[in-house]
Protein backbone atom coordinates (compact mmCIF):
# COMPACT_ATOMS: atom_id res chain seq x y z
CA UNK A 1 0.00 0.00 0.00
CA UNK A 2 1.65 3.19 -1.23
CA UNK A 3 1.33 5.71 1.61
CA UNK A 4 3.36 8.39 -0.14
CA UNK A 5 2.42 9.28 -3.70
CA UNK A 6 4.07 11.39 -6.33
CA UNK A 7 1.51 11.51 -9.09
CA UNK A 8 3.65 13.22 -11.71
CA UNK A 9 6.28 10.85 -13.08
CA UNK A 10 8.01 13.66 -14.94
CA UNK A 11 8.25 17.44 -15.15
CA UNK A 12 10.00 19.71 -17.61
CA UNK A 13 10.89 23.31 -16.71
CA UNK A 14 12.92 26.04 -18.38
CA UNK A 15 16.10 27.25 -16.75
CA UNK A 16 15.46 30.19 -14.45
CA UNK A 17 11.80 29.35 -13.87
CA UNK A 18 10.24 27.76 -10.81
CA UNK A 19 10.00 23.98 -10.48
CA UNK A 20 7.18 22.70 -8.29
CA UNK A 21 7.19 19.05 -7.31
CA UNK A 22 4.20 17.62 -5.48
CA UNK A 23 3.68 14.81 -3.02
CA UNK A 24 0.60 13.44 -1.26
CA UNK A 25 0.43 11.10 1.71
CA UNK A 26 -2.32 9.03 3.24
CA UNK A 27 -1.01 8.22 6.72
CA UNK A 28 -1.99 11.00 9.13
CA UNK A 29 0.58 9.68 11.61
CA UNK A 30 3.49 10.92 9.47
CA UNK A 31 5.20 13.83 11.19
CA UNK A 32 8.50 14.25 9.36
CA UNK A 33 8.90 14.77 5.65
CA UNK A 34 11.96 14.87 3.43
CA UNK A 35 12.96 15.46 -0.17
CA UNK A 36 15.82 13.65 -1.84
CA UNK A 37 17.44 14.13 -5.23
CA UNK A 38 18.87 11.18 -7.13
CA UNK A 39 21.21 11.13 -10.11
CA UNK A 40 21.71 7.90 -12.10
CA UNK A 41 24.19 5.47 -10.55
CA UNK A 42 24.24 7.44 -7.28
CA UNK A 43 22.35 7.12 -4.03
CA UNK A 44 19.65 9.63 -3.03
CA UNK A 45 21.01 12.93 -1.73
CA UNK A 46 19.16 14.65 1.11
CA UNK A 47 17.84 18.08 0.09
CA UNK A 48 15.51 19.46 2.70
CA UNK A 49 13.10 18.33 5.39
CA UNK A 50 10.17 19.64 7.37
CA UNK A 51 8.58 18.68 10.65
CA UNK A 52 4.79 18.61 10.97
CA UNK A 53 4.89 21.51 13.44
CA UNK A 54 5.92 23.78 10.57
CA UNK A 55 4.28 24.61 7.27
CA UNK A 56 7.33 25.94 5.45
CA UNK A 57 11.06 25.42 5.44
CA UNK A 58 13.62 27.13 3.22
CA UNK A 59 17.19 26.33 2.30
CA UNK A 60 18.66 28.47 -0.43
CA UNK A 61 16.83 27.83 -3.69
CA UNK A 62 14.75 25.05 -2.13
CA UNK A 63 11.53 25.56 -0.17
CA UNK A 64 9.24 22.84 1.12
CA UNK A 65 5.61 23.58 1.95
CA UNK A 66 3.46 21.30 4.10
CA UNK A 67 -0.34 21.35 4.13
CA UNK A 68 -1.33 18.91 6.86
CA UNK A 69 -5.08 19.23 6.34
CA UNK A 70 -4.68 18.26 2.69
CA UNK A 71 -1.92 15.75 3.45
CA UNK A 72 0.14 17.41 0.76
CA UNK A 73 3.64 18.74 0.48
CA UNK A 74 5.50 20.43 -2.31
CA UNK A 75 9.08 21.31 -3.17
CA UNK A 76 9.77 24.61 -4.90
CA UNK A 77 13.07 25.19 -6.67
CA UNK A 78 13.75 28.79 -7.62
CA UNK A 79 15.44 29.50 -9.94
CA UNK A 80 15.76 26.12 -11.62
CA UNK A 81 19.14 25.21 -13.06
CA UNK A 82 20.14 22.49 -15.56
CA UNK A 83 22.09 20.75 -12.76
CA UNK A 84 18.79 20.27 -10.94
CA UNK A 85 17.78 17.70 -13.56
CA UNK A 86 17.38 14.48 -11.54
CA UNK A 87 14.75 12.24 -9.98
CA UNK A 88 13.21 13.75 -6.84
CA UNK A 89 11.80 11.54 -4.11
CA UNK A 90 9.45 12.56 -1.36
CA UNK A 91 9.66 10.57 1.90
CA UNK A 92 7.84 10.52 5.22
CA UNK A 93 8.19 8.91 8.62
CA UNK A 94 6.09 8.43 11.75
CA UNK A 95 6.90 9.72 15.25
CA UNK A 96 9.91 7.89 16.64
CA UNK A 97 9.87 5.96 13.42
CA UNK A 98 13.07 5.48 11.56
CA UNK A 99 11.68 3.86 8.44
CA UNK A 100 11.25 6.22 5.53
CA UNK A 101 8.24 5.69 3.28
CA UNK A 102 9.11 6.87 -0.21
CA UNK A 103 7.11 8.04 -3.19
CA UNK A 104 8.04 6.62 -6.58
CA UNK A 105 9.77 9.79 -7.69
CA UNK A 106 9.36 12.61 -10.18
CA UNK A 107 11.93 13.04 -12.95
CA UNK A 108 12.73 16.73 -13.35
CA UNK A 109 14.29 18.03 -16.55
CA UNK A 110 15.50 21.61 -16.58
CA UNK A 111 16.13 22.82 -20.12
CA UNK A 112 18.43 25.72 -21.04
CA UNK B 1 33.59 14.31 5.98
CA UNK B 2 33.33 10.89 4.36
CA UNK B 3 29.88 9.77 3.31
CA UNK B 4 28.20 6.41 3.56
CA UNK B 5 30.27 3.72 1.87
CA UNK B 6 28.75 0.56 0.44
CA UNK B 7 30.66 -2.41 -0.89
CA UNK B 8 30.66 -4.00 -3.33
CA UNK B 9 29.09 -1.67 -5.91
CA UNK B 10 28.05 -4.51 -8.20
CA UNK B 11 27.40 -8.18 -7.58
CA UNK B 12 26.19 -11.05 -9.74
CA UNK B 13 24.85 -14.20 -8.11
CA UNK B 14 22.78 -17.20 -9.13
CA UNK B 15 19.53 -18.46 -7.67
CA UNK B 16 19.90 -20.30 -4.39
CA UNK B 17 23.14 -18.62 -3.39
CA UNK B 18 23.50 -16.20 -0.50
CA UNK B 19 25.06 -12.76 -0.44
CA UNK B 20 26.43 -10.31 2.12
CA UNK B 21 26.49 -6.57 1.54
CA UNK B 22 28.46 -4.12 3.64
CA UNK B 23 27.82 -0.55 4.76
CA UNK B 24 30.06 1.91 6.60
CA UNK B 25 28.08 4.85 7.98
CA UNK B 26 29.10 8.47 8.33
CA UNK B 27 31.40 8.90 11.30
CA UNK B 28 29.36 9.54 14.43
CA UNK B 29 26.15 8.09 13.03
CA UNK B 30 24.75 5.26 15.11
CA UNK B 31 21.75 4.29 13.00
CA UNK B 32 21.97 2.32 9.77
CA UNK B 33 18.95 1.55 7.61
CA UNK B 34 18.69 -0.64 4.54
CA UNK B 35 16.37 -0.15 1.57
CA UNK B 36 15.62 -2.09 -1.59
CA UNK B 37 14.96 -0.21 -4.81
CA UNK B 38 13.27 -1.92 -7.76
CA UNK B 39 11.57 -0.41 -10.82
CA UNK B 40 8.19 -1.82 -9.83
CA UNK B 41 8.10 -1.25 -6.07
CA UNK B 42 10.34 1.79 -5.72
CA UNK B 43 12.30 2.30 -2.50
CA UNK B 44 11.21 -0.04 0.26
CA UNK B 45 12.45 -0.18 3.84
CA UNK B 46 14.13 -3.41 4.91
CA UNK B 47 15.34 -2.80 8.47
CA UNK B 48 17.13 -0.37 10.75
CA UNK B 49 19.85 -0.96 13.30
CA UNK B 50 20.84 1.26 16.20
CA UNK B 51 23.58 0.43 18.69
CA UNK B 52 23.85 -3.12 17.35
CA UNK B 53 20.11 -3.79 17.82
CA UNK B 54 17.45 -4.09 15.16
CA UNK B 55 15.03 -1.32 16.00
CA UNK B 56 12.66 -1.46 13.02
CA UNK B 57 11.82 -4.03 10.39
CA UNK B 58 9.96 -3.80 7.10
CA UNK B 59 7.79 -6.40 5.37
CA UNK B 60 10.43 -8.64 3.88
CA UNK B 61 10.82 -12.40 4.31
CA UNK B 62 13.22 -13.87 6.84
CA UNK B 63 15.73 -14.56 4.05
CA UNK B 64 16.71 -10.92 4.49
CA UNK B 65 18.71 -10.30 7.64
CA UNK B 66 21.24 -7.88 8.94
CA UNK B 67 23.49 -6.97 11.77
CA UNK B 68 25.40 -4.03 13.13
CA UNK B 69 28.81 -4.03 14.73
CA UNK B 70 30.11 -2.00 17.65
CA UNK B 71 31.70 0.51 15.25
CA UNK B 72 28.23 1.04 13.66
CA UNK B 73 29.22 -0.68 10.42
CA UNK B 74 26.43 -2.89 9.15
CA UNK B 75 26.01 -5.92 6.95
CA UNK B 76 22.96 -7.22 5.18
CA UNK B 77 22.58 -10.86 4.21
CA UNK B 78 20.18 -12.42 1.75
CA UNK B 79 19.96 -16.22 1.69
CA UNK B 80 18.50 -18.53 -0.94
CA UNK B 81 18.52 -15.83 -3.58
CA UNK B 82 15.57 -15.53 -5.94
CA UNK B 83 15.35 -13.79 -9.32
CA UNK B 84 13.11 -11.17 -7.72
CA UNK B 85 15.89 -10.15 -5.35
CA UNK B 86 17.61 -8.38 -8.23
CA UNK B 87 17.63 -4.78 -7.10
CA UNK B 88 19.65 -1.81 -5.92
CA UNK B 89 20.28 -2.14 -2.19
CA UNK B 90 20.80 1.17 -0.45
CA UNK B 91 22.18 1.82 2.98
CA UNK B 92 21.51 5.04 4.89
CA UNK B 93 22.93 6.36 8.12
CA UNK B 94 21.73 8.94 10.60
CA UNK B 95 22.32 10.10 14.15
CA UNK B 96 19.46 7.83 15.15
CA UNK B 97 17.25 10.41 16.77
CA UNK B 98 13.76 11.34 15.65
CA UNK B 99 13.41 13.85 12.84
CA UNK B 100 16.96 13.53 11.64
CA UNK B 101 17.65 13.01 7.93
CA UNK B 102 19.09 9.79 6.64
CA UNK B 103 22.08 10.01 4.32
CA UNK B 104 22.46 7.38 1.64
CA UNK B 105 25.33 5.54 0.08
CA UNK B 106 25.51 4.85 -3.65
CA UNK B 107 24.16 1.34 -3.24
CA UNK B 108 25.02 -2.20 -4.28
CA UNK B 109 23.51 -3.36 -7.56
CA UNK B 110 22.66 -7.05 -7.12
CA UNK B 111 21.81 -9.12 -10.18
CA UNK B 112 20.51 -12.66 -9.88
CA UNK B 113 20.95 -15.00 -12.85
Amino acid sequence: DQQVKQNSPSLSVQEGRISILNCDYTNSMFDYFLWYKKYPAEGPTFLISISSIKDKNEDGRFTVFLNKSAKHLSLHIVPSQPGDSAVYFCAASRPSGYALNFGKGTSLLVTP
Amino acid sequence: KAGVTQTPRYLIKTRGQQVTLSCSPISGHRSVSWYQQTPGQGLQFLFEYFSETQRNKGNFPGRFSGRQFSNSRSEMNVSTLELGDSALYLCASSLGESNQPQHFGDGTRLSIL
Side-chain angles (χ1 to χ4, degrees), chain A residues 60-78:
Chain A
R61 296 186 298 115
F62 302 93
T63 302
V64 56
F65 295 91
L66 176 62
N67 182 333
K68 290 183 290 293
S69 60
K71 296 193 182 68
H72 177 83
L73 66 156
S74 61
L75 175 69
H76 292 209
I77 306 173
V78 185

Side-chain angles (χ1 to χ4, degrees), chain A residues 18-110:
Chain A
I18 183 172
S19 294
I20 300 177
L21 296 101
N22 294 303
C23 177
D24 297 297
Y25 61 96
T26 58
N27 191 335
S28 58
M29 295 296 291
F30 289 149
D31 74 337
Y32 183 57
F33 304 88
L34 309 91
W35 284 94
Y36 287 85
K37 176 171 74 174
K38 188 178 186 301
Y39 294 120
E42 293 184 12
T45 299
F46 170 70
L47 276 175
I48 191 168
S49 63
I50 187 167
S51 163
S52 61
I53 61 173
K54 294 184 175 181
D55 54 19
K56 177 182 174 182
N57 189 26
E58 287 181 85
D59 185 359
R61 296 186 298 115
F62 302 93
T63 302
V64 56
F65 295 91
L66 176 62
N67 182 333
K68 290 183 290 293
S69 60
K71 296 193 182 68
H72 177 83
L73 66 156
S74 61
L75 175 69
H76 292 209
I77 306 173
V78 185
S80 300
Q81 299 172 354
D84 295 330
S85 297
V87 178
Y88 289 77
F89 291 94
C90 168
S93 66
R94 293 180 291 127
S96 299
Y98 306 96
L100 293 178
N101 296 267
F102 281 89
K104 294 209 171 178
T106 295
S107 179
L108 173 66
L109 176 64
V110 180

Side-chain angles (χ1 to χ4, degrees), chain B residues 15-91:
Chain B
R15 281 181 297 173
Q17 287 187 309
Q18 74 165 13
V19 67
T20 299
L21 312 181
S22 180
C23 173
S24 293
I26 292 171
S27 178
H29 284 189
R30 297 169 63 193
S31 168
V32 173
S33 298
W34 289 88
Y35 294 83
Q36 181 195 65
Q37 185 180 26
T38 59
Q41 299 299 318
L43 275 151
Q44 292 189 292
F45 173 75
L46 281 154
F47 30 66
E48 184 247 355
Y49 286 85
F50 180 79
S51 293
E52 301 179 65
T53 300
Q54 187 180 87
R55 192 164 60 171
N56 287 270
K57 188 176 187 307
N59 296 324
F60 278 81
R63 300 185 297 107
F64 292 82
S65 63
R67 59 178 176 168
Q68 186 180 35
F69 302 96
S70 58
N71 61 358
S72 294
R73 191 178 68 85
S74 176
E75 288 181 348
M76 188 190 103
N77 185 273
V78 188
S79 63
T80 319
L81 286 165
E82 301 177 359
L83 292 177
D85 297 334
S86 293
L88 179 66
Y89 290 88
L90 290 159
C91 165

